[in-house]
C-alpha cells in the first residue's frame, strides 16, 4: 500500500503542492490529472524522494528518510517525464541499472538480473535494440527503455510521470497494457500522472484532479471525467462518451474565433 498524507512542497516562494493526500492499495492504480502547472510532476517527484516535502509518504507502512536512497529505490520505481540518458550506454546496460538497488555497492549483476532485463525488453518490444546505444533510439524507444529500467527494479510502487508523452498510439497502448498486467500480476501500486484523459479514465481505478497544487476532486473515472469537470478545471470544450473500458474524451471545436474556454477558472478551495 502507498500512503500519501498531507504532502506539501515549496519550490522557492511557490507552494507547488498543498497538503495532498491519497491512498493506493496493492494492485491499485491512481491516475493524477490536471492542467499544466497543477503540481502533478511535483507530486511524482515527492513520492520518489527527489524533492523535499512536508507530510508523509509510506510504502507498506514504512516511511523512508531522505538519506535512504537504496532502500527507497527498492520500494519505489520512478519513470520521469524527461529522463537524462547516457548516450553511449547500451539499452541492456541501462536497463540493468534498475537492478542496482538489489546489490551491495559494486556488486556484480547476476543471471537473474539478466533474465529479468530480457523479459522486460521482450514485453516492451525492445529486445532487438538490446545492444544499441541509447543515442541511437527514437524518443519513443528511449521512453520505453526508461520504463524497462523501472520495471526491473521490481519495486512494490511504480510512479509514472506522463509515461506515454513520447509514444505513438500503438506503443502508448502497449505501455499502459503492460503496466496494467504487471500491477495485477505483482500486486504493484501504480501512481501515474497523465495528460491523456481517455487513457487515464480507461486504465486507472480512481482519479485525482490537482489544481493549483491542491487535490480538488477524487473518485472513480466515470465520476471525475465529465464534461462539466473538464470545462471547470481544464477550460476545455469536450464530449465524454461512457464505455465499458471507461470514459472516452473527444475535444469539440467551438464556433470560429471562439478561442475555447480561456476564461474558465476555479477557486481550488471550493
Amino acid at each position: 500500500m502507498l500512503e500519501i498524507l498531507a504532502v506539501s512542497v515549496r519550490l522557492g516562494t511557490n507552494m507547488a503542492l498543498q497538503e495532498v493526500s491519497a491512498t493506493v492499495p496493492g494492485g491499485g492504480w491512481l491516475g493524477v490529472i490536471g492542467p499544466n502547472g497543477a503540481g502533478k510532476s511535483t507530486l511524482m517527484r515527492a513520492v520518489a524522494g527527489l524533492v523535499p516535502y512536508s507530510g508523509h509518504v509510506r510504502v507498506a507502512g514504512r516511511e523512508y528518510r531522505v538519506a535512504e536512497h537504496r532502500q527507497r529505490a527498492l520500494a519505489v520505481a520512478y519513470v520521469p517525464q524527461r529522463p537524462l540518458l547516457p548516450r553511449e550506454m547500451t539499452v541492456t546496460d541501462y536497463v540493468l541499472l534498475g537492478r542496482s538497488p538489489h546489490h551491495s555497492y559494486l556488486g556484480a549483476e547476476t543471471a537473474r538480473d539478466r533474465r529479468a532485463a530480457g523479459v522486460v525488453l521482450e514485453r516492451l518490444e525492445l529486445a532487438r535494440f538490446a545492444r544499441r546505444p541509447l543515442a541511437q533510439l527514437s524518443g519513443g524507444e528511449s521512453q520505453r527503455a526508461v520504463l524497462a529500467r523501472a520495471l526491473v527494479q521490481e519495486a512494490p510502487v511504480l510512479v509514472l510521470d506522463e509515461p506515454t508523452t513520447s509514444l505513438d498510439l500503438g506503443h502508448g497502448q502497449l505501455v499502459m497494457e503492460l503496466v496494467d498486467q504487471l500491477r495485477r500480476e505483482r500486486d504493484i501500486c501504480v501512481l501515474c500522472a497523465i495528460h491523456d484523459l481517455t487513457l487515464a479514465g480507461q486504465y486507472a481505478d480512481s482519479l485525482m484532479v490537482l489544481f493549483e497544487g491542491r487535490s480538488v476532486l477524487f473518485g472513480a473515472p466515470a465520476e471525475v471525467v465529465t464534461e462539466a469537470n473538464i470545462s471547470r478545471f481544464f477550460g476545455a470544450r469536450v464530449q465524454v462518451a461512457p464505455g465499458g473500458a471507461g470514459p472516452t474524451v473527444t475535444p469539440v471545436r467551438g464556433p470560429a474565433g471562439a478561442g475555447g474556454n480561456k476564461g474558465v477558472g476555479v477557486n481550488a478551495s471550493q
Side-chain angles (χ1 to χ4, degrees):
M1 176 183 291
L2 170 65
E3 297 172 283
I4 303 167
L5 305 173
V7 168
S8 297
V9 175
R10 181 181 293 276
L11 300 176
T13 60
N14 176 49
M15 286 298 296
L17 286 180
Q18 301 184 58
E19 296 194 347
V20 173
S21 296
T23 299
V24 188
W29 185 325
L30 173 61
V32 182
I33 61 176
N36 291 343
K40 302 186 297 297
S41 291
T42 301
L43 177 61
M44 303 301 112
R45 289 172 59 79
V47 172
L50 299 175
V51 293
Y53 60 86
S54 61
H56 305 278
V57 175
R58 296 176 182 148
V59 178
R62 177 177 175 181
E63 187 157 12
Y64 294 85
R65 297 189 301 273
V66 174
E68 294 181 297
H69 301 297
R70 179 172 174 271
Q71 290 83 354
R72 187 186 287 265
L74 288 170
V76 179
Y78 170 62
V79 176
Q81 186 177 155
R82 298 182 183 87
L84 296 175
L85 300 174
R87 293 175 54 82
E88 302 307 317
M89 183 175 284
T90 68
V91 172
T92 295
D93 287 341
Y94 177 74
V95 171
L96 282 169
L97 290 177
R99 300 296 301 171
S100 299
H102 295 269
H103 305 302
S104 59
Y105 185 64
L106 295 180
E109 66 189 43
T110 66
R112 184 180 185 280
D113 297 332
R114 291 189 291 273
R115 283 195 301 271
V119 168
V120 172
L121 288 172
E122 285 285 352
R123 295 183 76 168
L124 283 170
E125 298 183 358
L126 287 170
R128 62 194 177 101
F129 305 124
R131 297 186 179 182
R132 185 173 295 185
L134 293 169
Q136 296 181 14
L137 300 184
S138 69
E141 291 159 358
S142 298
Q143 185 72 3
R144 282 182 281 148
V146 175
L147 177 61
R149 172 179 166 168
L151 292 178
V152 300
Q153 283 181 233
E154 298 181 340
V157 173
L158 179 61
V159 177
L160 306 170
D161 191 0
E162 304 287 5
T164 63
T165 297
S166 301
L167 304 179
D168 59 39
L169 180 61
H171 284 111
Q173 289 179 329
L174 172 71
V175 164
M176 298 296 276
E177 287 289 345
L178 178 57
V179 171
D180 193 46
Q181 292 170 18
L182 290 176
R183 60 121 170 184
R184 298 174 190 277
E185 292 172 7
R186 302 180 184 176
D187 210 32
I188 294 171
C189 304
V190 178
L191 179 69
C192 178
I194 188 164
H195 72 279
D196 188 315
L197 299 182
T198 296
L199 288 179
Q202 292 186 350
Y203 285 93
D205 299 322
S206 55
L207 295 176
M208 176 168 63
V209 178
L210 289 184
F211 189 88
E212 296 180 350
R214 296 181 182 273
S215 175
V216 295
L217 196 59
F218 189 98
E223 299 169 348
V224 173
V225 181
T226 66
E227 293 170 10
N229 286 335
I230 294 172
S231 175
R232 183 183 185 195
F233 297 112
F234 293 82
R237 185 184 292 108
V238 301
Q239 288 182 341
V240 177
T248 299
V249 180
T250 304
V252 177
R253 183 177 179 182
N261 294 335
K262 293 181 180 178
V264 174
V266 65
N267 182 342
S269 64
Q270 293 178 348

